[in-house]
Amino acid sequence: MSTTASIKDVANHAQVAVGTVSNVLNYPDRVSQRTKERVLKSIAELGFVRNDAARQLRAGQSRTIGLIVLDVGNPFFSSVARAAEDAATALGSVVLVGDSGQDASREAHYMDLFQEQRVQGLLISPVGDVGQRIDTLRERGVPTVLVDELADTERCSSVSVDDQEGGYLAAKHLLDIGRRRLAFVGTPSIRQVASRLKGAQRAVAEVSGASIEVLDSEGQTVLTGRKVGNSLVERSPEKRPEAVFCSNDLLALGVMQSLTMLRTVRIPEDIALIGYDDIDFAISAVVPLSSIRQPTEALGRTAIELLAEEHDNGGTKHRAVVFTPELVVRQSTAGSGS
Amino acid sequence: MSTTASIKDVANHAQVAVGTVSNVLNYPDRVSQRTKERVLKSIAELGFVRNDAARQLRAGQSRTIGLIVLDVGNPFFSSVARAAEDAATALGSVVLVGDSGQDASREAHYMDLFQEQRVQGLLISPVGDVGQRIDTLRERGVPTVLVDELADTERCSSVSVDDQEGGYLAAKHLLDIGRRRLAFVGTPSIRQVASRLKGAQRAVAEVSGASIEVLDSEGQTVLTGRKVGNSLVERSPEKRPEAVFCSNDLLALGVMQSLTMLRTVRIPEDIALIGYDDIDFAISAVVPLSSIRQPTEALGRTAIELLAEEHDNGGTKHRAVVFTPELVVRQSTAGSGS
DNA sequence: CGTAACAAATGAAACGATTCAAAGACGAGT
DNA sequence: ACTCGTCTTTGAATCGTTTCATTTGTTACG
């Protein structure tokens, strides 16, 4: 009783052949005005809705693109996802988002799922070693694009941000406003963080008399940032760094909190502070936080574009697009004066 | 060349009938050990992957549940979504998330899409008036559950949080720690916010000598909160409220920033402050923020359960589950002392 | 009037899985 | 040897589209 009407029901009701109904839906120009109207009327009366499964089965491919991210709660990824969705919509596709939660088995689960769905392509921010699986996918005609990870272009395309450059930009800025003794806060065991540190060290090496010490935060949250901040406050003033570069904004906000709370250190006068990611909270921190912005919209959009490219050239050619991050200066690193 | 092997290819390769391959996949017990092994070997060799479209077509229904939220970037919804995904996974289903962005046409677009996909059911946090459409869906056998919105149980099920109770809890708490002149910050034109205000007013009415003034923030962000905070600081101390209840944590953080930045008002001694939602940043604010926590995991999980119920009873019976929010006390409303 | 040219409509054949009635295989019991 | 019962296996039918070679209908022109 509650089954939806099929194209056959519509055909009967409108007294035409099924092929004609299909043509009304897919090639309206091939159908005469009169029958078109009659068919559309029947569709409305019966409340007909296309069955996408049947359509996909016939087409051999879905209009779906799979996206696997490390954490949907992370603003970086939700922003990338949103951009990808918008770009896909423009192409008449839909993005399905899977959250691996940095777990390789969940990642594998979603890869299986998306393969069963015969997705047009896969965007993935990998946690495990997926090289092998990507090869398999490519053989089966499922183009894959790595997100936020540089790919071997022999294998597949990728979109990423130059983390080393981002680190360089941040440190360079701190040096430019006259600071010499810098500190880096983060967990260098994460690849992206290590690159940012490397960039920062490069900038420091360019300026004589400049130095940078590394403080492993053992975590990437506001709380761990606050711990690092406390340890800085406890130092005697002459042993404190003149500027701190945190590998993400959460850490920076934590550091900021302990510094402002204890009120013995001023930002930016005593210590200049810069974060990374430019999350929404950065601008609305107690002292608006300078940061390195990653072009998340461009990442998402480009990922879809690369997928479309692969689709066109049959997955034979791959490109690695690397974006440059952008320095956003706010009050926490304001003025070289003072 | 790059087409994936079908069940028929597997059957040929393993020298069995297609039905047998299907049985290996779906009812392994019906198949003898020997053939099962042979079939599994062929599957592995050919790299066979089930075609979900064909399976769905035959089954008449997908293993997919649609979820339409107002904003995936909002931690409240991403948390609900996550819980729903987990609960669905346990049932062998998958959740597709659509972001309406508070736009009725996008909402309609996703409803159409999900109908074409023949989803098992629909979870929706409605923006427009969807009553009519939900009736249609019910007729077609697609159960729908309203999320974060109370439903007419004649029509469909729903999961929501008692906003009035949440408002009551917040105001009651402020009164309990001895404050009498309260202020409410928020945009009461939003239904949920209006309910929270109503609850707060109820609590105030129970205590003689207590009062609450409403400050329309004209926005729900940190920045608008800061504006309100500034206006409070400008008042003469005796005209300031003794406690402020903000309709969400972002507003509260904004208010907190302007109060702490200007350093003329102490939290909680001069003004106690409480927010709503208990976002991750609440605990790590300069002064850890008291808040009203909504049981997002329970919302997501229950939404899926209600869907399963409807599926079992054929969509004839509906339930409206209302959760009670929870008061989380932190330093921003600490101690009745002082 | 005949027929060429074109437009519109037809309907059978896929697509790839699942289902299920029927057939086949094999032992045990008589 | 024959029957019965149980366990396996078979393969045609089905789901709802799209596609495309054919058929049917219409108009124009010699």
Side-chain angles (χ1 to χ4, degrees):
Chain A
M1 46 169 185
S2 68
T3 53
T4 324
S6 80
I7 209 174
K8 205 182 261 174
D9 300 324
V10 175
N12 287 336
H13 188 270
Q15 308 257 49
V16 295
V18 288
T20 305
V21 178
S22 176
N23 280 334
V24 170
L25 295 169
N26 302 296
Y27 307 93
D29 299 343
R30 293 188 188 162
V31 185
S32 74
Q33 193 62 30
R34 252 166 36 100
T35 41
K36 190 163 26 181
E37 278 166 13
R38 212 168 61 239
V39 169
L40 289 174
K41 191 156 155 268
S42 297
I43 287 178
E45 281 179 25
L46 298 178
F48 166 77
V49 177
R50 255 207 199 87
N51 184 323
D52 201 51
R55 195 229 273 262
Q56 279 184 39
L57 174 59
R58 184 67 236 256
Q61 230 204 188
S62 73
R63 299 176 351 274
T64 294
I65 293 167
L67 168 61
I68 303 178
V69 300
L70 296 176
D71 176 15
V72 272
N74 185 325
F76 173 77
F77 285 113
S78 64
S79 175
V80 171
R82 184 142 202 178
E85 276 173 28
D86 290 345
T89 303
L91 268 64
S93 300
V94 195
V95 173
L96 299 191
V97 183
D99 186 346
S100 72
Q102 314 222 33
D103 175 16
S105 73
R106 283 182 66 118
E107 177 177 77
H109 172 74
Y110 275 113
M111 290 184 88
D112 291 341
L113 187 73
F114 287 148
Q115 257 189 88
E116 289 192 5
Q117 307 243 8
R118 297 293 189 274
V119 291
Q120 287 182 326
L122 196 58
L123 311 182
I124 180 168
S125 196
V127 42
D129 180 17
V130 291
Q132 192 75 46
R133 293 212 53 169
I134 287 176
D135 290 341
T136 315
L137 284 169
R138 179 159 25 74
E139 280 165 22
R140 296 195 188 143
V142 181
T144 303
V145 174
L146 256 42
V147 175
D148 199 32
E149 185 88 30
L150 192 64
D152 172 4
T153 52
E154 294 292 307
R155 196 163 239 171
C156 66
S157 293
S158 67
V159 285
S160 55
V161 182
D162 188 340
D163 284 297
Q164 205 180 118
E165 175 67 14
Y168 179 85
L169 279 176
K172 180 82 170 7
H173 171 58
L174 297 175
L175 295 164
D176 281 350
I177 60 170
R179 312 298 163 116
R180 284 300 170 266
R181 278 181 297 116
L182 311 189
F184 176 86
V185 178
T187 38
S189 57
I190 298 172
R191 189 198 53 72
Q192 280 88 345
V193 174
S195 301
R196 291 168 198 175
L197 171 57
K198 203 168 169 188
Q201 289 167 330
R202 184 158 54 84
V204 168
E206 291 176 1
V207 176
S208 69
S211 67
I212 185 165
E213 69 175 307
V214 178
L215 304 173
D216 192 325
S217 58
E218 289 168 8
Q220 298 260 78
T221 65
V222 176
L223 287 178
T224 53
R226 195 137 65 179
K227 272 189 211 153
V228 174
N230 288 337
S231 74
L232 288 177
V233 175
E234 285 165 11
R235 296 187 186 182
S236 60
E238 68 277 7
K239 293 209 167 162
R240 288 183 198 138
E242 299 163 351
V244 174
F245 167 31
C246 296
S247 68
N248 85 22
D249 283 347
L250 297 180
L251 283 171
L253 292 175
V255 170
M256 181 182 291
Q257 279 175 18
S258 43
L259 298 191
T260 54
M261 207 184 324
L262 302 177
R263 291 186 181 171
T264 46
V265 180
R266 292 166 303 163
I267 298 175
E269 291 84 352
D270 301 319
I271 296 183
L273 186 62
I274 188 167
Y276 207 104
D277 281 349
D278 193 28
I279 64 176
D280 287 344
F281 280 93
I283 193 174
S284 45
V286 184
V287 180
L289 180 70
S290 297
S291 194
I292 302 293
R293 178 182 299 160
Q294 310 211 61
T296 50
E297 312 78 27
L299 278 176
R301 188 171 7 91
T302 309
I304 297 290
E305 284 169 12
L306 287 179
L307 217 48
E309 271 183 28
E310 299 241 346
H311 193 269
D312 293 345
N313 67 33
T316 51
K317 280 191 176 169
H318 313 297
R319 282 206 297 147
V321 177
V322 178
F323 286 97
T324 306
E326 185 192 348
L327 172 68
V328 180
V329 178
R330 297 205 182 88
Q331 204 183 319
S332 73
T333 62
S336 58
S338 158
Chain B
M1 52 171 182
S2 68
T3 53
T4 324
S6 79
I7 206 173
K8 205 182 262 174
D9 300 324
V10 175
N12 286 335
H13 189 269
Q15 308 256 50
V16 295
V18 288
T20 303
V21 179
S22 176
N23 281 333
V24 169
L25 295 169
N26 301 295
Y27 307 93
D29 300 343
R30 293 189 189 162
V31 185
S32 74
Q33 192 60 32
R34 254 169 36 104
T35 40
K36 192 163 25 181
E37 277 167 13
R38 214 168 61 241
V39 170
L40 289 174
K41 191 157 158 264
S42 297
I43 287 178
E45 279 179 25
L46 298 178
F48 165 78
V49 177
R50 257 209 199 85
N51 183 322
D52 202 51
R55 196 229 276 262
Q56 280 183 39
L57 174 58
R58 185 66 236 259
Q61 230 204 188
S62 74
R63 297 177 352 275
T64 295
I65 292 166
L67 167 61
I68 304 178
V69 299
L70 297 175
D71 176 15
V72 272
N74 185 324
F76 173 77
F77 285 114
S78 64
S79 175
V80 171
R82 185 142 201 179
E85 275 174 29
D86 290 346
T89 304
L91 269 63
S93 301
V94 196
V95 173
L96 300 190
V97 183
D99 188 344
S100 71
Q102 314 223 33
D103 175 16
S105 73
R106 282 182 67 118
E107 177 177 76
H109 172 73
Y110 275 112
M111 290 183 89
D112 290 342
L113 188 73
F114 287 147
Q115 258 189 89
E116 288 192 6
Q117 307 242 9
R118 298 292 190 272
V119 292
Q120 287 181 325
L122 196 59
L123 310 182
I124 181 169
S125 197
V127 40
D129 180 17
V130 290
Q132 192 76 46
R133 293 213 53 169
I134 287 177
D135 290 341
T136 313
L137 283 168
R138 181 157 26 76
E139 281 165 21
R140 294 193 189 145
V142 181
T144 304
V145 174
L146 256 44
V147 175
D148 199 31
E149 185 89 28
L150 192 63
D152 172 4
T153 51
E154 295 291 307
R155 196 165 240 171
C156 67
S157 293
S158 67
V159 285
S160 55
V161 182
D162 189 339
D163 284 297
Q164 207 181 113
E165 176 68 12
Y168 179 84
L169 280 177
K172 179 83 173 0
H173 172 58
L174 297 175
L175 294 165
D176 281 350
I177 60 170
R179 312 298 163 115
R180 286 298 173 267
R181 277 180 298 114
L182 312 188
F184 177 86
V185 178
T187 38
S189 55
I190 298 173
R191 190 198 55 72
Q192 281 88 342
V193 174
S195 299
R196 290 168 199 175
L197 171 56
K198 203 168 169 188
Q201 287 167 331
R202 185 156 55 83
V204 167
E206 290 175 2
V207 176
S208 68
S211 66
I212 185 164
E213 69 174 309
V214 178
L215 304 173
D216 193 325
S217 58
E218 288 169 8
Q220 299 259 74
T221 66
V222 176
L223 286 178
T224 52
R226 194 137 67 181
K227 273 189 211 151
V228 174
N230 288 338
S231 73
L232 288 178
V233 174
E234 285 166 10
R235 296 188 187 181
S236 60
E238 66 279 7
K239 293 211 168 163
R240 286 181 199 140
E242 298 162 353
V244 175
F245 168 31
C246 297
S247 68
N248 86 21
D249 283 347
L250 298 180
L251 284 170
L253 291 175
V255 170
M256 182 183 291
Q257 280 174 17
S258 43
L259 298 190
T260 55
M261 205 181 329
L262 304 176
R263 290 187 183 171
T264 47
V265 179
R266 292 166 303 163
I267 297 175
E269 292 83 352
D270 301 319
I271 296 183
L273 186 62
I274 188 167
Y276 208 106
D277 281 349
D278 193 29
I279 64 176
D280 287 344
F281 280 94
I283 194 172
S284 45
V286 184
V287 180
L289 180 69
S290 298
S291 193
I292 302 292
R293 177 182 298 158
Q294 311 210 61
T296 49
E297 313 79 26
L299 278 176
R301 188 170 9 91
T302 308
I304 297 289
E305 284 170 9
L306 288 179
L307 217 49
E309 271 183 29
E310 299 240 347
H311 194 269
D312 293 344
N313 67 33
T316 51
K317 279 191 175 169
H318 312 298
R319 282 206 295 148
V321 177
V322 179
F323 285 97
T324 306
E326 185 190 347
L327 172 68
V328 180
V329 178
R330 297 203 183 88
Q331 203 182 322
S332 74
T333 61
S336 57
S338 158

